[in-house]
Amino acid sequence: MIEENPMTEKQMWDALPHVQGEEKAELLLALCKRATYRNAGDEALALAESAKEIYDSLGGIAANADLAEAYTGIGYSLKQLNKTAEAAQTLEKAVEIHRQDHFPFVDDLLRTQAIWYSESGDWESTLRCHQEAVTVNEVDGNQEWLAKSLFNVGVALEFLDRYSEAIEKFKSARDIFKGMKMVVEVGMCDEKIAESYVEVGNGELALEAAKKADDIARMADIRERRMWSSYNLGKAYLLLKQFEAAESALCNAQLYAQSGEPLDFKLLVGIDEEMISLLRQTD
């Protein structure tokens, strides 16, 4: 793995014409990082691609980890240029190299790749990356990251309308978080469990999970958590046709949503839609 270069950017550019091979490739990747920090995506991409060409020309002499870093640099540069799908696909080449080398932090790269796939709307690929991260965390024994990876799998399954499977992943993540006494994370799992039960039309189980989430949100006194727990309570009560309770919870969710910055317009629209459904059912 290439370490952070202590030289200034000017010193690196001055040194570049006087080095060859791996040393030159390392300088190019260091300059790529600096260009990325300056939001100079085109420059960063050219530098990372030049480094990859050097590693390719060196064949077996070049370390696999260095070639993976070149692919990672290309991926981040493409992401900065808003070529998100291409960036995620490029990152797969780095993941493949690290997978073969049993790189200890490949799960971090998998999560980044999953985020990029999700941003491009490819939820099947997002799911695949998060599932592999689960496997990595099961092997390395990192319970906190295993729980987070299971939670991420659940989110991807939700976007694929596979709600029953999502509920099981959220429950598994919840059990681990509970064992680690990570209370806020337990509440977030309850939120997602409630959300998924609403989607499958099970109002009673949705309400049970939403109440648990709301208890934790109140105890932690975190606006965002109280916002989501209130929203899920409102939807669960509406499913059960407990209209007065639904209206109260949805109004609370709306107040919490309107008091935050930046405003979550998608959530506000969702609350309005639930309010409209409530009015239609009570007219």
Side-chain angles (χ1 to χ4, degrees), residues 158-174:
E158 272 192 319
F159 274 95
L160 292 167
D161 298 332
R162 294 162 58 178
Y163 298 108
S164 295
E165 294 172 77
I167 289 167
E168 293 310 309
K169 297 302 179 184
F170 292 134
K171 285 181 177 180
S172 296
R174 186 187 192 280

Side-chain angles (χ1 to χ4, degrees), residues 33 42-43 72 77 110 133 243:
K33 287 182 180 179
D42 286 319
E43 181 185 334
T72 302
S77 302
L110 284 163
F243 300 124

Side-chain angles (χ1 to χ4, degrees), residues 59 85 93 130 184 269:
K93 297 173 183 176
H130 283 316
V184 173
V269 169

Side-chain angles (χ1 to χ4, degrees), residues 266-281:
K266 185 176 179 181
L267 174 60
L268 286 167
V269 169
I271 294 169
D272 284 344
E273 289 174 347
E274 296 297 328
M275 285 290 201
I276 291 168
S277 176
L278 173 65
L279 289 171
R280 285 174 177 168
Q281 291 183 62

Side-chain angles (χ1 to χ4, degrees), residues 185-260:
E185 286 76 9
V186 168
M188 291 173 68
C189 291
D190 287 327
E191 287 172 21
K192 300 303 283 185
I193 291 167
E195 187 174 278
S196 291
Y197 274 129
V198 166
E199 292 296 334
V200 298
N202 192 325
E204 290 183 359
L205 290 179
L207 182 59
E208 180 184 327
K211 283 182 175 179
K212 290 178 181 178
D214 194 55
D215 286 343
I216 291 174
R218 287 173 180 273
M219 179 192 69
D221 196 22
I222 300 172
R223 183 198 63 81
E224 187 176 6
R225 302 277 61 86
R226 296 194 70 173
M227 173 181 75
W228 283 105
S229 65
S230 297
Y231 182 43
N232 287 320
L233 276 172
K235 290 191 291 183
Y237 280 127
L238 192 55
L239 265 180
L240 295 169
K241 299 191 181 303
Q242 297 182 30
F243 300 124
E244 188 174 334
E247 183 178 10
S248 176
L250 291 170
C251 285
N252 285 337
Q254 193 171 54
L255 287 172
Y256 286 127
Q258 289 172 341
S259 65

Side-chain angles (χ1 to χ4, degrees), residues 14-225:
D14 290 341
L16 198 60
H18 307 292
V19 293
Q20 298 295 326
E22 287 184 273
E23 191 176 356
K24 184 171 185 176
E26 288 179 11
L27 270 180
L28 287 166
L29 286 178
L31 285 164
C32 168
K33 287 182 180 179
R34 301 294 175 88
T36 302
Y37 299 155
R38 291 188 280 101
N39 292 316
D42 286 319
E43 181 185 334
L45 179 60
L47 290 162
E49 288 179 334
S50 296
K52 177 190 169 295
E53 288 173 6
I54 292 173
Y55 288 132
D56 286 341
S57 70
L58 292 172
I61 299 174
N64 285 344
D66 292 343
L67 180 59
E69 186 140 350
Y71 278 121
T72 302
I74 293 170
Y76 274 91
S77 302
L78 289 167
K79 179 67 171 65
Q80 198 164 76
L81 294 169
N82 296 316
K83 298 179 180 181
T84 306
E86 189 179 348
Q89 291 161 7
T90 300
L91 214 57
E92 177 61 33
K93 297 173 183 176
V95 169
E96 177 60 30
I97 294 170
H98 285 319
R99 189 185 290 126
Q100 293 172 0
D101 287 351
H102 304 290
F103 180 63
F105 304 112
V106 70
D107 56 324
D108 288 341
L109 210 55
L110 284 163
R111 278 185 284 271
T112 298
Q113 189 184 16
I115 290 168
W116 293 356
Y117 275 128
S118 70
E119 288 177 3
S120 60
D122 185 350
W123 286 100
E124 289 288 355
S125 295
T126 300
L127 176 61
R128 173 178 56 79
C129 293
H130 283 316
Q131 285 174 326
E132 186 172 350
V134 167
T135 301
V136 171
N137 295 139
E138 285 174 335
V139 172
D140 67 25
N142 189 320
Q143 290 299 291
E144 181 178 346
W145 277 112
L146 174 58
K148 290 177 178 178
S149 294
L150 285 164
F151 184 92
N152 291 337
V153 168
V155 172
L157 286 166
E158 272 192 319
F159 274 95
L160 292 167
D161 298 332
R162 294 162 58 178
Y163 298 108
S164 295
E165 294 172 77
I167 289 167
E168 293 310 309
K169 297 302 179 184
F170 292 134
K171 285 181 177 180
S172 296
R174 186 187 192 280
D175 288 342
I176 298 172
F177 285 133
K178 184 178 179 181
M180 299 182 72
K181 296 180 170 51
M182 298 178 68
V183 179
V184 173
E185 286 76 9
V186 168
M188 291 173 68
C189 291
D190 287 327
E191 287 172 21
K192 300 303 283 185
I193 291 167
E195 187 174 278
S196 291
Y197 274 129
V198 166
E199 292 296 334
V200 298
N202 192 325
E204 290 183 359
L205 290 179
L207 182 59
E208 180 184 327
K211 283 182 175 179
K212 290 178 181 178
D214 194 55
D215 286 343
I216 291 174
R218 287 173 180 273
M219 179 192 69
D221 196 22
I222 300 172
R223 183 198 63 81
E224 187 176 6
R225 302 277 61 86

